[in-house]
Amino acid sequence: QVQLVESGGGLVQAGDSLRLSCAASGRTFSRLGWFRQAPGKQRELVAAITSGGRTNYADSVKGRFTISRDDAKNTVYLQMSSLKPEATAVYYCAAGTIPIVVRYAYWGPGTQVTVSS
């Protein structure tokens, strides 16, 4: 079965760093991404990475967040630095299987990240 499980969320102070992990299983993916959804707001893409290593980031996190993957462990990471209260949200790991096509068919249950000011 295909499964994505996030971990690493928690409560931190503004300016701190945090690394989220997403363990994928069941199959290989062409695209892995991190999304977040804050209370009362729409879900947004934070960062994504393809099987070829191409990355994409939301403008709001460029320079502070880094997405990476470990193919041997079938795990994708999101390293977050200089965290701001605005980053408080539930972070979701998502995956797609079709090369070139930006579509996420699989999703994890999410992990809460809270940044206090």
Side-chain angles (χ1 to χ4, degrees), residues 15-53:
D16 284 355
S17 296
L18 196 65
R19 188 178 76 162
L20 303 182
S21 298
C22 173
S25 62
R27 65 159 297 161
T28 56
F29 304 99
S30 63
R31 181 181 298 271
L32 289 164
W34 286 97
F35 290 77
R36 68 185 178 189
Q37 185 166 30
K41 297 183 178 180
Q42 294 186 349
R43 183 178 60 204
E44 65 174 344
L45 174 69
V46 177
I49 186 168
T50 67
S51 59

Side-chain angles (χ1 to χ4, degrees), residues 68-117:
S68 62
R69 64 189 298 169
D70 185 333
D71 292 335
K73 297 181 179 180
N74 206 196
T75 300
V76 63
Y77 305 94
L78 182 67
Q79 178 65 50
M80 305 181 289
S81 62
S82 300
L83 283 166
K84 303 175 181 179
E86 303 90 87
T88 295
V90 174
Y91 284 70
Y92 299 91
C93 178
T97 61
I98 306 174
I100 305 300
V101 179
V102 183
R103 177 176 179 272
Y104 297 92
Y106 305 96
W107 295 78
T111 184
Q112 175 71 225
V113 172
T114 302
V115 184
S116 63
S117 59

